[in-house]
Amino acid sequence: MRKNATFGTLLLLAAASLLLAAKEVNPLLIKVKPAKLTPPKKEALAWVDAAMPELAKLNDEIWQNAEVAMEEYRSAEALTSYLERAGFRVEKGTAGLPTAFVGTYGSGQPVIGFLAEYDALPGLSQEAATVQKPLVMGAPGHGCGHNIFGVASVASAVAVKEVMALHNIAGTLKVFGCPAEETVEGKVFMARAGVFDGLSLCIQWHPGDENSVSLGSSNALNQFEVEFFGRTAHSAGDPWHGRSALDGIELTDVGLNFLREHLQPTARIHYVILDGGGAPNVVPDHALAWYYVRDLDRESVEKDYERVLQVIEGAAKMSGTTYKIHFQSGVHETLANRAGGEVVYSNLLLVGAPAFSGDEQTFAKEIQKNLGLEEKGLTTKVEPFSLPERSWGSGSTDVAEVSWLTPTTDLGVAFTPLGTPGHHWSAVACSGMSIGHKCLAVAAKVMAASCLDFLAQPEVVNKMREEWAARKKGREYKSPLPSDLQPRTVPRKEGKA
Ligand SMILES: [Zn+2]
């Protein structure tokens, strides 16, 4: 009996440990081996290493001259002149956007795109320091690392071009200079103008806090302003003569907050009031608010948006005002590509995570300490490659538009200390120094190596395109923009080089 009990306990323990082991295996995990280091790849990686001093300089120049959406004149110029010197044919002012460009090299199939972004965020100017210290008070700063983004994308395309030229490899490379990502505009207008048509695939990445390849999506979005017009009056003397434009906005917002309950739980609506009048004792005859409507996919956003428009109409009726909607931009949800993601991930394993030095880790930990965060430094590992836990993402991106026009791959490379917020001065600090440069080198190498795999393996490109077609489920790309909407361009400021 005693013996049996022990045996039973052992059996139970064995079963429990088996269960535990099974639990530890993530069912979403995708096993990918490191890519092979072929001789052409070896050359491309060596090219990036040799070019790093110049690339770091270019990175720091764009970081120093941080320019916000639609004003990236100097940043675009720095990147286009680099591409021209490297032998690319460059078209500027693409799709009516003065700071957009397309750099092309080679000819024939496949046609491989690279996305470059280079806009900064307002008010985030920061030195490469571990405490908040603006470089220029109130000026923009690269809080999303788009300086690294732009240079790494350009560098990877040039690295591939050098190898293609050396070995007579056929194919076309296209570097898309995409302005105004932070305002979710650039690629939407470029997509509407057909700039991304004819691509076999597109390679894109984003600097962040980890080294990974994501198969997740992002939310579809409509963003717009609503302007209400009323009639002014003395708020105490003769308010009955007044029609408050602010009432229009407030009633809209109350209506939207009631509407939420009757939308799918995936819907997200947010707003800010940009102009609510000047003084309480004057009935405002003008008011302005800015809205975001997001949901799982384009179809859902369009349905939500129709109901939001009804609420605005009702608010105008209730307040006796009139209104005008200024549609700004809209995007789709991102279509991930597993076949392409596997290639990029295998090359991320080949290249490895950025090897940050002791000094760089100390710099990162100092930032974490100053922000009251755990002093974990910068990641040195490559995250596992897996299917997403859910099929939607919280944010929205205009990269989604490209993913509907061609299979588009993802890549994330680390440059921000773990746990620090996005769009923050700490990201600006790290993107303008050696931490950012190491991130840049890894991103450029992984994308160049992946591109060489795509050039050498047409069967993989076919697989990516089949997967992409299946994910579209017969739906063709339709721009979320009204056909008559013109891009919100900003003229170059006088006195700027
Ligand atoms: Zn960004």
Side-chain angles (χ1 to χ4, degrees):
M1 190 71 198
R2 204 187 156 110
K3 206 176 173 187
N4 274 349
T6 318
F7 184 63
T9 314
L10 274 173
L11 260 180
L12 266 175
L13 274 172
S17 61
L18 265 174
L19 263 174
L20 265 176
K23 231 181 166 180
E24 274 169 29
V25 176
N26 177 357
L28 301 172
L29 212 66
I30 302 170
K31 274 210 169 138
V32 174
K33 286 189 195 140
K36 286 201 178 85
L37 183 60
T38 58
K41 272 191 209 174
K42 220 171 171 177
E43 288 164 11
L45 304 195
W47 181 90
V48 174
D49 281 329
M52 266 321 288
E54 197 184 351
L55 296 172
K57 233 176 98 187
L58 189 57
N59 177 77
D60 294 356
E61 183 189 333
I62 295 171
W63 179 81
Q64 190 102 27
N65 292 327
E67 297 165 303
V68 294
M70 299 290 184
E71 298 181 29
E72 317 94 326
Y73 287 94
R74 285 185 289 179
S75 309
E77 240 164 51
L79 293 170
T80 52
S81 68
Y82 184 83
L83 277 171
E84 278 168 344
R85 286 202 301 280
F88 279 68
R89 309 182 291 277
V90 180
E91 174 206 287
K92 296 171 193 173
T94 307
L97 300 160
T99 54
F101 63 85
V102 184
T104 308
Y105 171 79
S107 59
Q109 294 292 326
V111 185
I112 299 184
F114 294 83
L115 300 183
E117 294 173 9
Y118 34 84
D119 58 332
L121 288 153
L124 274 186
S125 176
Q126 166 71 23
E127 284 184 19
T130 58
V131 288
Q132 189 173 14
K133 204 170 169 200
L135 199 65
V136 181
M137 193 56 94
H142 274 290
C144 205
H146 290 186
N147 54 321
I148 319 174
F149 191 149
V151 180
S153 296
V154 163
S156 59
V158 176
V160 175
K161 176 245 151 184
E162 295 296 326
V163 176
M164 286 171 79
L166 206 66
H167 299 281
N168 260 323
I169 300 173
T172 309
L173 305 179
K174 282 188 160 201
V175 184
F176 297 96
C178 308
E181 189 279 334
E182 294 296 355
T183 52
V184 206
E185 288 173 295
K187 296 179 204 74
V188 194
F189 285 96
M190 292 168 81
R192 189 182 68 176
V195 176
F196 303 111
D197 291 355
L199 289 175
S200 309
L201 65 105
C202 192
I203 298 171
Q204 73 93 29
W205 81 292
H206 202 294
D209 65 351
E210 60 177 34
N211 306 295
S212 61
V213 174
S214 164
L215 294 179
S217 187
S218 57
N219 269 332
L221 158 82
N222 270 3
Q223 59 158 321
F224 54 96
E225 286 179 358
V226 185
E227 199 175 12
F228 275 90
F229 306 94
R231 193 166 63 224
T232 189
H234 192 294
S235 302
D238 62 337
W240 45 86
H241 286 136
R243 297 290 179 269
S244 168
L246 179 61
D247 286 0
I249 286 181
E250 287 196 89
L251 289 166
T252 296
D253 295 348
V254 168
L256 293 182
N257 290 328
F258 274 97
L259 176 68
R260 287 179 204 279
E261 192 187 353
H262 307 289
L263 295 175
Q264 291 291 329
T266 46
R268 297 283 181 277
I269 301 175
H270 8 277
Y271 53 82
V272 287
I273 298 176
L274 299 171
D275 174 14
N281 57 355
V282 182
V283 173
D285 61 355
H286 179 263
L288 182 70
W290 182 10
Y291 297 87
Y292 273 32
V293 177
R294 307 195 210 226
D295 211 325
L296 274 192
D297 52 33
R298 195 66 223 147
E299 209 186 334
S300 307
V301 161
E302 278 165 13
K303 278 187 193 152
D304 300 340
Y305 184 60
E306 278 308 312
R307 298 191 66 186
V308 169
L309 294 182
Q310 295 294 314
V311 169
I312 296 168
E313 175 79 25
K317 281 197 172 132
M318 281 190 278
S319 56
T321 57
T322 58
Y323 67 96
K324 216 171 170 180
I325 290 173
H326 305 280
F327 193 90
Q328 290 179 334
S329 186
V331 290
H332 285 72
E333 71 281 12
T334 300
L335 296 181
N337 195 277
R338 177 175 168 170
E342 285 180 6
V343 173
V344 178
Y345 188 74
S346 69
N347 283 293
L348 175 58
L349 291 177
L350 171 71
V351 173
F356 296 114
S357 69
D359 282 353
E360 285 156 355
Q361 290 290 6
T362 307
F363 185 89
K365 285 177 186 169
E366 193 69 30
I367 287 177
Q368 286 159 335
K369 192 176 144 196
N370 293 335
L371 291 172
L373 300 167
E374 202 183 328
E375 292 170 47
K376 290 195 274 190
L378 296 140
T379 184
T380 52
K381 63 169 189 178
V382 172
E383 299 300 320
F385 184 52
S386 66
L387 294 170
E389 279 171 22
R390 41 175 205 172
S391 59
W392 69 95
S394 49
S396 307
T397 170
D398 63 3
V399 171
E401 304 313 282
V402 184
S403 79
W404 274 82
L405 293 164
T406 195
T408 303
T409 63
D410 175 73
L411 167 69
V413 181
F415 83 108
T416 53
L418 289 160
T420 52
H423 290 188
H424 190 253
W425 63 261
S426 55
V428 188
C430 294
S431 67
M433 45 101 66
S434 62
I435 292 174
H437 303 159
K438 282 192 179 161
C439 167
L440 192 170
V442 167
K445 285 178 181 178
V446 175
M447 289 189 287
S450 305
C451 184
L452 287 167
D453 277 343
F454 294 136
L455 285 168
Q457 299 169 37
E459 67 280 6
V460 173
V461 179
N462 287 340
K463 208 173 143 196
M464 288 170 72
R465 294 195 63 83
E466 278 164 22
E467 181 186 336
W468 170 70
R471 282 184 193 260
K472 285 205 304 174
K473 294 184 193 139
R475 298 164 295 174
E476 278 316 306
Y477 179 76
K478 189 174 159 276
S479 177
L481 304 175
S483 56
D484 58 346
L485 184 70
Q486 292 304 308
R488 174 194 63 88
T489 57
V490 180
R492 192 181 194 124
K493 287 194 182 80
E494 290 284 325
K496 282 206 170 176

